[in-house]
């Protein structure tokens, strides 16, 4: 019972992951949409580890999303590499970039860190546009094959749906395990007060770099999944706008809760579908949502949900 | 204690390291953009004693604590713990040697609804040392260790009388209670040397009395204490030994009675602070 209580919201995620067969099929349009949602859930949760827990701002998280996508895309489409090792190569490159960049950059704080991460995003996009032979440049990278592992191909939409959501559940579960453990507690100490943390023997620089690398690896996985689903990559999908979109997901859902950013991704990706006519105003909407959330509900949607739930539980036990 | 060879002892003597010294501060100087915060300060703390660091505002007391636990590198001079050089070590490495501290303005961890118990558990970071892989792939082991640590953290909270507040948010507690939580957090790190920066400031008389009793109990555990303190009444009743700083310079050193009778100290500090009565 206590376990169910602790992982209540996890059941919701597992339900979405198993949704198609339980309801008896869903339209390709909807399952396609939920595949996108799943990819962005991974991206948002990965950023929450870094920002919501370790307290390190990143306004350029799409950089690692891009590295994952393009390494997978280039290796499979241009060199015929099998998708699973290509994905791992993307994870390795993301980890290496995060480690190399993180050493100097994570010593920065606040605005300076924000600017540096933003610059990283710009550099990656510029490289993608510039290295035309490799990446296809501004006109895009074509013919990324569907994902397969050990000869089993995830070529149908429903198969890919299961793959993406299985990974979503894994990423969310491991993020929860990490953040609700002494490891997460250590990150919170660093976030709260680095000087005090150091006086208790916490190696702040070391922990920050480790969580940055983990966060980059998760974002890279999301990128690879994106590449194999789209089959076509263009630099626009990895611009700073995407990074800011993910930031809005964090604040909309409730930063520092893991579930919140997942909820934020769901909400922000489904909203334009519901209000199709607003699609041209996505940037405007993002800005408006961010301001409204920060002013009126700093704990985000998840904060409101847990509030409602704890009131219901309190009423039920009375 | 075993006697080291004659030559080594003399060499130590020359280096300013008396044998019984637990903490040695030797000719430490530190300045900030031309302002001399510490000038050639030397003193020692013996194992198991409570030593006070007193002096008027701006005497360099907090700067000295920051130098000792590595938050500030000294411009000149050395700090040694049990003969081991601390210069060049990072704060987290010095912490691992058993140096813990509290802060004048509280520094409890408050982000993401961290509780009082979380704060105290963080005191034991060196012993837990959590890793990503360990957390993900050996959850059973880390859960067992966490249970043991929780018990110890509750003991530390009981020791300071704050076990009732384990699940509260630190910010919901009174200032005095937050000080007690900081002390429990420091004790959780099983320190050998405890640096306390103004531990009694912001406390009412009853709380000061309680704190005094607590610190005596801490000393009884064999923990050496160096504290910066303005409350002379507390210092006189609590401390075995006192060192006085004035404008960054060593002014006097000795037991409470000797310090009270020292004319230089009275002129520089006690008289001005109106603390003469508490001697």
């Amino acid at each position: 019972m206590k376990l169910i209580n602790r992982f209540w919201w996890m059941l919701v995620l597992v339900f979405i992951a198993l949704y198609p067969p339980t309801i008896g099929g869903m339209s390709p349009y909807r399952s396609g949409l939920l595949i996108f949602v799943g990819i962005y859930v991974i991206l948002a949760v990965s950023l929450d580890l870094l920002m919501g827990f370790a307290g390190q701002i990143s306004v350029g998280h799409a950089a690692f999303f891009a590295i994952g996508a393009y390494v997978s895309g280039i290796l499979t489409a241009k060199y015929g590499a099998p998708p699973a090792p290509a994905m791992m190569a993307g994870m390795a490159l993301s980890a290496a970039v995060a480690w190399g960049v993180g050493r100097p950059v994570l010593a920065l704080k606040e605005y300076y860190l924000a600017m540096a991460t933003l610059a990283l995003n710009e550099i990656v996009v510029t490289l993608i546009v510039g290295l035309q032979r490799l990446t296809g440049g501004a006109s895009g990278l074509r013919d990324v094959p569907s994902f397969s592992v050990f000869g089993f191909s995830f070529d149908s939409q429903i198969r890919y749906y299961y793959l993406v959501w299985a990974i979503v559940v894994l990423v969310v579960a491991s993020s929860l395990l990490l953040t609700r453990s002494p490891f997460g507690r250590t990150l919170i100490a660093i976030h709260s007060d680095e000087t005090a943390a150091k006086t208790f023997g916490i190696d702040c620089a070391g922990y920050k770099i480790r969580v940055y690398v983990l966060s980059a690896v998760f974002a890279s996985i999301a990128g690879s999944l994106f590449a194999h689903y789209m089959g076509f990559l263009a630099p626009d999908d990895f611009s700073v706008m995407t990074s800011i979109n993910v930031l809005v997901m964090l604040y909309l859902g409730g930063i520092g809760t893991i579930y919140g950013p997942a909820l934020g991704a769901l909400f922000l990706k489904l909203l334009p579908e519901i209000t199709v006519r607003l699609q041209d105003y996505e940037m405007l909407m993002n800005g408006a949502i961010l301001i409204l959330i920060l002013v009126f509900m700093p704990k985000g949607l998840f904060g409101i949900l847990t509030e409602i739930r704890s009131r219901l539980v309190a009423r039920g036990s009375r | 204690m075993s006697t080291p060879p004659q030559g080594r002892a003399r060499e130590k003597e020359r280096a300013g390291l008396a044998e019984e010294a637990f903490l040695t501060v030797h000719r430490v100087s530190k300045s900030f953009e031309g302002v001399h915060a510490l000038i050639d300060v030397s003193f020692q703390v013996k194992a198991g004693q409570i030593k006070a660091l007193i002096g008027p505002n701006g005497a360099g007391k907090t700067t000295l604590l920051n130098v000792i636990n590595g938050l500030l590198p000294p411009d000149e001079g050395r700090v040694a713990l049990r003969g081991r050089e601390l210069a060049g070590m990072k704060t987290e490495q010095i912490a691992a040697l058993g140096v813990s501290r509290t802060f004048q303005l509280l520094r409890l961890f408050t982000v993401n609804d961290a509780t009082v118990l979380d704060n105290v558990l963080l005191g034991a970071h060196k012993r837990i040392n959590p890793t990503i892989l360990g957390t993900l792939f050996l959850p059973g082991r880390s859960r067992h260790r966490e249970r043991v640590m929780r018990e110890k953290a509750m003991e530390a909270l009981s020791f300071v009388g704050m076990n009732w507040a384990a699940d509260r948010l630190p910010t919901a507690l009174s200032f005095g209670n937050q000080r007690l939580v900081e002390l429990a957090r420091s004790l959780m790190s099983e320190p050998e040397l405890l640096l306390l920066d103004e531990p009694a400031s912001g406390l009412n008389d009853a709380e000061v009395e309680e704190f005094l009793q607590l610190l005596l109990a801490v000393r009884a555990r064999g923990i050496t204490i160096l504290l910066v303190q303005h409350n002379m009444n507390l210092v006189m009743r609590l401390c075995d030994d006192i060192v006085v700083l004035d404008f960054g310079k060593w002014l006097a050193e000795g037991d409470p009675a000797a310090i009270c009778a020292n004319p230089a100290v009275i002129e520089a500090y006690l008289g001005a602070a109106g603390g003469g009565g508490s001697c």
Side-chain angles (χ1 to χ4, degrees):
Chain A
M1 192 59 220
K2 202 180 157 200
L3 208 67
I4 292 176
N5 223 8
R6 260 185 88 180
F7 293 98
W8 198 89
W9 300 105
M10 196 71 211
L11 294 180
V12 176
L13 272 185
V14 172
F15 176 77
I16 298 178
L18 299 175
Y19 182 68
T22 45
I23 301 300
M26 75 170 73
S27 69
Y29 172 71
R30 279 198 198 157
S31 58
L33 200 57
L34 278 175
I35 287 173
F36 270 124
V37 168
I39 289 168
Y40 275 91
V41 167
I42 298 172
L43 202 54
V45 167
S46 79
L47 185 59
D48 198 27
L49 287 172
L50 182 69
M51 270 185 77
F53 288 88
Q56 306 304 307
I57 301 167
S58 172
V59 197
H61 215 52
F64 301 109
F65 190 49
I67 293 173
Y70 271 91
V71 170
S72 271
I74 291 165
L75 289 182
T76 54
K78 297 224 159 177
Y79 299 97
M87 183 191 240
M88 283 179 215
M91 289 158 72
L93 183 63
S94 289
V97 170
W99 195 85
V101 169
R103 279 278 145 189
V105 160
L106 289 175
L108 302 174
K109 293 203 187 338
E110 290 154 12
Y111 304 119
Y112 303 97
L113 181 58
M115 289 312 291
T117 51
L118 190 92
L120 175 68
N121 200 154
E122 281 299 324
I123 290 168
V124 168
V125 171
T126 308
L127 281 176
I128 290 170
V129 175
L131 298 171
Q132 210 162 351
R133 279 203 176 158
L134 203 60
T135 63
S139 52
L141 181 72
R142 276 163 220 291
D143 304 325
V144 180
S146 54
F147 195 83
S148 64
V149 64
F150 297 127
F152 183 84
S153 178
F154 293 86
D155 48 5
S156 78
Q157 177 123 317
I158 229 63
R159 282 179 181 179
Y160 205 66
Y161 179 97
Y162 279 124
L163 175 73
V164 167
W165 277 88
I167 294 176
V168 169
V169 169
L170 268 178
V171 165
V172 172
S174 52
S175 299
L176 284 172
L177 199 59
L178 279 171
T179 53
R180 294 179 176 187
S181 73
F183 183 83
R185 194 167 58 214
T186 308
L187 296 184
I188 287 170
I190 294 167
H191 185 175
S192 197
D193 187 333
E194 277 193 39
T195 304
K198 280 180 193 168
T199 64
F200 291 100
I202 295 173
D203 169 17
C204 295
Y207 274 95
K208 285 196 279 188
I209 202 106
R210 281 187 252 171
V211 81
Y212 193 46
V213 167
L214 180 71
S215 175
V217 166
F218 282 167
S220 178
I221 292 174
S224 296
L225 291 173
F226 182 81
H228 290 291
Y229 181 64
M230 298 294 289
F232 170 79
L233 297 174
D236 267 1
D237 291 324
F238 308 96
S239 69
V240 173
M241 257 322 285
T242 303
S243 296
I244 290 174
N245 219 320
V246 180
L247 271 181
V248 175
M249 289 170 188
L250 251 63
Y251 283 100
L252 173 64
I255 190 166
T257 56
I258 301 294
Y259 288 126
L263 188 65
L266 183 79
F267 198 83
L268 209 60
K269 280 289 145 188
L270 292 188
L271 190 65
E273 306 301 326
I274 298 162
T275 55
V276 179
R277 257 174 286 166
L278 282 177
Q279 244 168 357
D280 292 338
Y281 303 100
E282 199 185 347
M283 269 169 92
L284 185 71
M285 220 168 53
N286 276 348
I289 289 173
L290 190 56
I291 291 170
L292 290 176
I293 291 281
L294 289 177
V295 174
F296 295 109
M297 38 188 237
K299 289 201 164 179
L301 291 173
F302 188 65
I304 292 171
L305 274 185
T306 45
E307 177 76 6
I308 292 170
R309 189 170 162 264
S310 65
R311 282 195 190 169
L312 287 178
V313 170
R315 190 178 294 172
S317 65
R318 212 174 286 151
Chain B
M1 201 181 282
S2 67
T3 322
Q6 201 65 49
R8 227 181 94 204
R10 204 173 296 140
E11 193 182 292
K12 274 191 172 179
E13 203 71 66
R14 232 181 294 129
L17 286 167
E19 255 179 77
E20 72 272 28
F22 176 73
L23 176 76
T24 304
V25 173
H26 183 68
R27 311 202 64 170
V28 165
S29 295
K30 177 79 195 172
S31 52
F32 301 101
E33 292 168 18
V35 178
H36 299 286
L38 294 171
I39 307 159
D40 204 17
V41 174
S42 299
F43 67 90
Q44 298 181 334
V45 184
K46 287 179 195 151
Q49 74 172 186
I50 300 182
K51 185 151 188 162
L53 188 57
I54 65 170
N57 284 332
K61 305 178 299 275
T62 299
T63 304
L64 189 53
L65 288 195
N66 287 340
V67 167
I68 294 172
N69 84 330
L71 288 172
L72 290 174
D75 297 338
E76 275 171 66
R78 323 183 288 103
V79 177
L81 184 75
R82 267 190 267 95
R84 186 164 175 182
E85 190 64 46
L86 300 186
M89 284 177 114
K90 289 185 194 157
T91 301
E92 51 265 37
Q93 292 169 318
I94 292 172
L97 292 177
V99 178
S100 190
R101 76 170 286 181
T102 64
F103 296 89
Q104 181 175 6
L105 301 170
L106 299 161
R107 291 196 143 178
L108 288 166
F109 303 118
T110 54
V111 167
N112 287 32
D113 295 338
T115 62
V116 163
L117 185 64
D118 287 330
N119 269 274
V120 178
L121 280 164
L122 277 161
H125 172 82
K126 294 173 297 192
R127 281 174 286 155
I128 300 174
N129 213 8
T131 60
I132 292 176
L133 296 180
T135 307
L136 289 181
F137 299 110
L138 297 167
R141 215 184 69 179
S142 40
R143 215 170 298 141
H144 170 73
R145 193 180 45 194
E146 180 74 355
R147 241 192 328 266
V148 175
M149 287 301 168
R150 263 168 202 272
E151 271 171 36
K152 292 198 173 188
M154 286 310 291
E155 277 170 31
L157 277 172
S158 303
F159 179 75
V160 301
M162 290 298 295
N163 47 343
W164 54 272
D167 295 325
R168 307 260 175 116
L169 301 179
T171 45
L173 300 177
S174 75
F175 195 79
N177 283 341
Q178 292 188 47
R179 281 229 181 278
L180 293 172
V181 173
E182 261 207 343
L183 182 64
R185 181 177 65 175
S186 274
L187 291 174
M188 189 66 186
S189 70
E190 297 187 342
E192 290 185 39
L193 174 65
L194 197 52
L195 306 172
L196 305 175
D197 196 352
E198 297 279 5
S201 80
L203 302 189
N204 63 37
D205 289 349
E207 287 171 330
V208 168
E209 197 56 38
E210 193 186 339
F211 215 92
L212 189 146
Q213 296 305 326
L214 263 176
L215 292 186
L216 290 173
V218 170
R219 182 180 62 179
R221 288 180 165 193
I223 297 171
T224 309
I225 299 174
L226 176 63
L227 71 141
V228 166
Q229 188 58 58
H230 267 306
N231 184 328
M232 287 308 295
N233 178 26
L234 180 77
V235 169
M236 293 302 160
R237 289 173 59 202
L238 181 66
C239 299
D240 306 303
D241 203 11
I242 298 172
V243 56
V244 188
L245 293 186
D246 187 28
F247 291 108
K249 282 188 196 146
W250 182 96
L251 185 69
E253 196 167 358
D255 61 34
I259 291 298
C260 269
N262 188 318
V265 176
I266 291 168
E267 188 180 341
Y269 182 49
L270 295 178
S278 47
C279 271

